[in-house]
Amino acid sequence: MAEADLAKAADPVGEPDDDIVICVRDLKNCFGEQVVHEGLDLDVRRGEILGVVGGSGTGKSVLMRSIIGLQTPVEGEIKVFGTSMIGKDETEARNIRRRWGVLFQAAALFSTLTVAENVQLPIREYFPGLDQDMMDEIAAYKIAMSGLADDAGAKYPAELSGGMKKRAGVSRALALDPDLLFLDEPTAGLDPIGAAAFDELILDLRNALHLTVFLITHDLDTLYAICDRVAVLADRKVIAVGTIDELLALDHPWIQEYFRGPRGRAVTEHSGVRRPGQ
Amino acid sequence: MSELAEPSQVAAGEPRVLSFSGNMTLARIRSITRDVDVQPGERLIVDLSEVDRMDTVGAWFIHRLRRDHEVELTGASQEQLDLLDTVAAAADRPAKLRPDAPPPFSRVIAMIGEAVLQAGRTLLGLLGFFGALLITTGEIIMRPRKLRWHAVVQRLEIVGVHALGIIGLMSFLVGIVIAQQGAVQLRQFGAEFYTINLVSRISFRELGVLMTAIMVAGRSGSAFAAQLGSMKLAEEVDAMRTIGVSPMEALVFPRVMATVLAMPLLAFYASIMAIFGGMMLAWAQLDITPITFIQRAREATPVNDLFICLIKAPVFGIIIAVSGCFQGMQVRNNNEEVGFRTTAAVVQAIFLVIVLDAFFAVFFSSIGWI
Ligand SMILES: Nc1ncnc2c1ncn2[C@@H]1O[C@H](COP(=O)(O)OP(=O)(O)O)[C@@H](O)[C@H]1O
Ligand SMILES: [Mg+2]
C-alpha cells in the first residue's frame, strides 16, 4: 500500500543514533567570481540550538540554503541525518526534506493563502489522505503553539505584522513535526519584547519537541538566552564553534569586537550566568 | 508492526484497554484514527508503553481521546507526558481558520455590486491618475531640470529599439496578408492594381498604428504594470515618497514620455514595413514591380494619411503607458495582484485604444481627411 510505504520511508524507526544531525565538510560556494565559502566545516549536534553569527554578507543565508539543498555547492560534502544531500534523487531528498522545517528571512508565507492554509499546505502535500476536519484541528493547535492569536489562522499574510509573520512562518515550519528547524534571523525586525517572546517560543518548542535548531541571528540577546553553542562565520569559513564562554576566550579580532563591543558588553554584563546547558 | 495492539477482552463494566505501539506520528495518524473505534462515553485505559516515537500529532490524538472519553493513561514516559501537556495547552482553543464567507445569494449580489463599484473606481482612478500626470507634466515644463532624461532614454531603448524586430516582422506579415486578400477580391473587378492603394492607405491610416499599439501594450504596458506593482509591494514606492522623490515624476513620467516618443516612430516604421510586405507580395504574385508599386503608392496616398498615423500614435502611447502605470500603482497586498493588474493593464489599454481609434476614424472623415 502506497501510504504505508510512504509512512515507512518517511518515518524511520531504527536509524543509527548518530549524534551529528548536520555535517558539513570542506564546503565551497561561489557566485561567479565571488567566493562565499571555502573549506567550511560545521557540525550540528542532535537536540542543540546552534547559533550562527557573522557579519552581514558573510554567507550565513547561503550556508543555510546549501544545507537545505536550494544552492548546489561547488565542492564539499553535506550530510543531514547521516545521509549525503548532494546528488540525491528527488524521492529520497523528499523524505529527508520532510524532516526539517525552514523559516526564511522574510517568512516567505504564501501570500494568496491564509495562515491556516499555509500550515496545511505541507501536510496536504505529504499526506494527501487526511480529512479536512483533522487538518483543521492540527492546523489550529500548530498555530496556537506558535503563539498566534486564535483568529490568526483566517488571516492573510498581508494582514499580519512582522512578528506575527515570523510566528506564522514557524507554525508552517512545524507543520510536519520536523526533527530539525532552520531559522534565518527570526528576531530581526522585532521589538525587544517580541524578540524575547520569540526566543522563549523557540526554547520551549525545542524542549517540548526535542528539535535541533540551526539559528542564524544577529541578536546577541538571542545568543545568550537560548543558544547552546555558537558558530562564527568569517573569512569564508566557520572560524570557531563553541559556547559563548569558549568563544570569549579566543582572541580573534572579529569575535572580540562582536562580543566585547559596546552592544556585546551590555548583554554580557546583564545576562550573567543565565545560559542553557550550564 | 501494528499501531494498535489487539484490544483486550472487555468484561461488562470494565474499561477497555487500548495499547498503542510503534510510531504515533503524522505519517501514521490516518491508519491510527481508522483503527481506533471507540464509542462515545466508553471508559478506556490507554497504554503507551510500547510506543517508540510520538510527535505532536500523536500527542494531539491522545489528547483528543482524553478530552472526549474517560481515559486512564498508563505507560507514558515523562517525555510523552510533557509533549501531551504542550499540545493540550495549544489545542481546543476556539480557533478561527477561515475568513467569514457571506451566504451564496448575498455573495452574488455583493459580487455584482463590487464589480460595478470597481469599474467606477477604476474610471475615476484613471482620470485622477491622468490629472496627476498632467500636473507633473506642467511642473516639469516649468522646471525642465526635473525631467529625468536618463530614465526616459533608458525606457525609450526598451520600449522602442528593442521592439523593432517583432513589430517589423509582424507588420511585414500583416502587409502580405492584406495584399493577398485584397488582390483576391479586387481581381473580381479586374482592379488588381488597386491592391497598392489598399495596402499603402490602410497601413498608414489604421494598421501600422493599431498593430503597433497592440504590440506595445503587450510588451511595455504589461511590463510597466509588473514593474511598478512589484515596487509597490516591496514598499519601494513608499520609500521613494518618504525620501521626497515623487513616484509620478521618477517612475510614471519617464515611462509615459518614452512611450509617447516611441509610438509615432514605431507606427511609421510599422506602416512602412507593412507596405514593404505588400510590395513583396505584389511583386511575387501580381507581377507588379517594386518601382511601379512605389510610384503608384506615392500617388495614391495623401500626406494626410501620414498625419493621421502620427497624430494617433502618441495618443495611443499615452493610453498604453498610463494604463500600465496606473494598474501597477493599484497593486497592494499580495503577489497575485501583480499578475492580475498586469493583465488588466493590457486589456484596458487595448480596449481604450480601439474605442479611441473608432472615434478618430469618424473624426478624421468628418473633417474631410478621407
Ligand atoms: N543569488 C545570489 N547571487 C549572487 N550573489 C549572491 C546571491 N546570494 C548571495 N550572494 C552573495 O553571497 C554573499 C552572502 O550572502 P548571504 O548569505 O545572504 O549573507 P548573510 O550572511 O547576510 O545572510 C553576499 O556577498 C551576497 O552578495
Ligand atoms: Mg541573510
Side-chain angles (χ1 to χ4, degrees):
Chain A
M1 197 170 86
E3 189 204 345
D5 288 347
L6 175 62
K8 198 174 285 171
D11 229 23
V13 199
E15 73 184 40
D17 200 6
D18 198 354
D19 261 355
I20 304 296
V21 177
I22 304 174
C23 169
V24 180
R25 286 289 170 272
D26 207 22
L27 180 75
K28 180 172 179 183
N29 270 311
C30 304
F31 291 105
E33 294 285 284
Q34 183 195 5
V35 180
V36 181
H37 301 128
E38 197 165 21
L40 184 148
D41 295 340
L42 180 68
D43 286 329
V44 183
R45 300 177 190 153
R46 183 175 303 280
E48 76 173 343
I49 300 183
L50 177 82
V52 177
V53 301
S56 248
T58 45
K60 304 182 294 294
S61 299
V62 174
L63 174 61
M64 183 182 99
R65 291 173 61 86
S66 312
I67 297 172
I68 60 185
L70 294 174
Q71 160 99 29
T72 313
V74 180
E75 277 172 26
E77 190 183 17
I78 296 171
K79 280 188 179 170
V80 184
F81 303 116
T83 23
S84 174
M85 291 306 295
I86 296 167
K88 259 235 162 335
D89 76 58
E90 189 49 30
T91 34
E92 281 177 279
R94 205 174 131 93
N95 286 329
I96 298 196
R97 234 180 272 144
R98 179 210 166 293
R99 298 180 58 195
W100 67 51
V102 183
L103 171 66
F104 288 94
Q105 208 162 346
L109 295 168
F110 303 116
S111 59
T112 52
L113 303 180
T114 62
V115 171
E117 287 164 341
N118 263 284
V119 175
Q120 289 169 350
L121 187 102
I123 305 179
R124 213 185 291 276
E125 180 62 25
Y126 281 90
F127 305 105
L130 295 184
D131 65 60
Q132 190 60 45
D133 289 343
M134 188 184 281
M135 298 264 285
D136 282 352
E137 279 200 58
I138 293 177
Y141 85 74
K142 301 250 166 181
I143 290 168
M145 247 176 162
S146 66
L148 284 168
D150 290 338
D151 62 350
K155 291 195 169 143
Y156 285 91
E159 301 167 303
L160 303 179
S161 71
M164 288 162 80
K165 272 187 200 151
K166 297 268 165 90
R167 284 176 185 270
V170 167
S171 63
R172 186 179 68 185
L174 293 176
L176 296 171
D177 269 284
D179 300 322
L180 174 58
L181 192 59
F182 291 93
L183 305 168
D184 194 349
E185 300 196 18
T187 54
L190 298 191
D191 65 282
I193 298 173
F198 203 92
D199 289 346
E200 198 73 18
L201 169 71
I202 298 191
L203 196 57
D204 286 348
L205 288 175
R206 193 275 303 259
N207 293 340
L209 311 178
H210 307 285
L211 297 167
T212 306
V213 183
F214 180 98
L215 169 72
I216 297 175
T217 187
H218 278 306
D219 193 333
L220 283 155
D221 291 305
T222 306
L223 290 180
Y224 277 99
I226 65 172
C227 291
D228 301 305
R229 292 194 309 153
V230 176
V232 182
L233 225 69
D235 309 327
R236 304 193 193 122
K237 51 179 69 116
V238 175
I239 53 169
V241 194
T243 61
I244 294 177
D245 289 329
E246 286 165 11
L247 293 181
L248 282 171
L250 302 173
D251 62 352
H252 189 281
W254 192 86
I255 298 177
Q256 288 300 326
E257 178 67 26
Y258 188 81
F259 288 104
R260 302 238 190 248
R263 284 162 164 249
R265 209 161 44 230
V267 181
T268 320
E269 278 157 14
H270 287 104
S271 77
V273 274
R274 193 196 148 222
R275 228 162 286 161
Q278 291 206 338
Chain B
M1 177 178 64
S2 79
E3 293 78 34
L4 184 63
E6 283 296 301
S8 57
Q9 286 295 1
V10 186
E14 283 294 298
R16 189 150 69 105
V17 179
L18 287 175
S19 336
F20 292 93
S21 65
N23 286 356
M24 291 196 72
T25 57
L26 177 56
R28 297 213 176 277
I29 193 66
R30 203 151 89 103
S31 46
I32 295 178
T33 20
R34 201 175 41 219
D35 295 347
V36 173
D37 176 28
V38 281
Q39 309 308 320
E42 202 177 354
R43 283 167 61 210
L44 299 169
I45 294 176
V46 171
D47 182 8
L48 297 181
S49 52
E50 296 295 308
V51 172
D52 300 324
R53 249 186 86 205
M54 185 161 87
D55 68 4
T56 62
V57 179
W60 165 75
F61 180 78
I62 299 294
H63 163 76
R64 221 172 47 155
L65 278 181
R66 292 217 283 181
R67 181 188 67 192
D68 299 340
H69 304 275
E70 203 176 309
V71 168
E72 189 185 324
L73 197 62
T74 60
S77 66
Q78 189 55 45
E79 235 170 56
Q80 287 166 343
L81 289 175
D82 290 345
L83 188 60
L84 275 171
D85 288 344
T86 311
V87 172
D92 302 335
R93 297 224 241 141
K96 183 168 166 235
L97 295 179
R98 282 178 194 78
D100 301 313
F105 178 70
S106 52
R107 204 178 73 213
V108 171
I109 302 282
M111 270 165 64
I112 295 173
E114 190 60 38
V116 172
L117 275 181
Q118 186 63 35
R121 253 184 256 135
T122 307
L123 193 67
L124 269 184
L126 197 61
L127 275 179
F129 192 79
F130 190 65
L133 179 68
L134 286 183
I135 293 174
T136 306
T137 313
E139 279 169 7
I140 289 178
I141 292 173
M142 299 299 285
R143 262 176 292 167
R145 282 182 49 204
K146 278 188 157 184
L147 177 59
R148 288 151 206 269
W149 266 116
H150 183 72
V152 175
V153 173
Q154 205 183 4
R155 290 293 144 203
L156 195 57
E157 182 182 348
I158 298 170
V159 176
V161 181
H162 292 181
L164 284 178
I166 183 71
I167 288 182
L169 179 65
M170 187 180 63
S171 306
F172 179 78
L173 294 175
V174 170
I176 289 180
V177 172
I178 296 291
Q180 202 267 334
Q181 292 297 316
V184 169
Q185 297 303 318
L186 291 169
R187 186 176 293 146
Q188 298 175 15
F189 309 101
E192 276 179 345
F193 209 61
Y194 280 92
T195 306
I196 305 173
N197 297 38
L198 175 69
V199 170
S200 66
R201 295 207 66 186
I202 205 173
S203 295
F204 270 118
R205 289 182 76 106
E206 292 295 339
L207 274 184
V209 64
L210 213 52
M211 299 306 288
T212 306
I214 289 171
M215 194 43 98
V216 170
R219 271 187 91 250
S220 303
S222 58
F224 293 167
Q227 286 158 358
L228 298 195
S230 333
M231 291 180 77
K232 194 92 201 293
L233 273 191
E235 295 184 317
E236 283 176 59
V237 175
D238 295 340
M240 204 172 251
R241 271 203 194 101
T242 323
I243 296 168
V245 179
S246 142
M248 215 54 184
E249 206 176 286
L251 298 175
V252 178
F253 187 80
R255 285 175 167 78
V256 175
M257 174 115 179
T259 316
V260 168
L261 289 179
M263 272 298 292
L265 301 173
L266 287 174
F268 179 74
Y269 162 76
S271 309
I272 296 294
M273 287 305 283
I275 294 174
F276 183 63
M279 186 170 82
M280 288 296 135
L281 185 109
W283 195 17
Q285 289 212 333
L286 312 177
D287 290 326
I288 300 173
T289 62
I291 303 286
T292 324
F293 191 100
I294 290 170
Q295 269 175 352
R296 174 74 193 185
R298 283 178 58 188
E299 286 162 17
T301 318
V303 75
N304 285 348
D305 283 6
L306 175 64
F307 291 153
I308 288 175
C309 169
L310 296 184
I311 289 170
K312 287 202 286 193
V315 177
F316 292 172
I318 292 179
I319 288 176
I320 293 165
V322 168
S323 295
C325 295
F326 169 70
Q327 293 290 354
M329 290 301 226
Q330 300 308 302
V331 169
R332 37 189 67 89
N333 296 338
N334 60 46
N335 301 328
E336 199 178 30
E337 186 110 326
V338 177
F340 172 70
R341 291 290 176 182
T342 306
T343 316
V346 177
V347 171
Q348 186 180 58
I350 293 179
F351 174 72
L352 288 178
V353 160
I354 288 177
V355 169
L356 222 72
D357 193 51
F359 276 111
F360 271 125
V362 174
F363 172 74
F364 285 127
S365 59
S366 64
I367 64 168
W369 288 12
I370 303 169

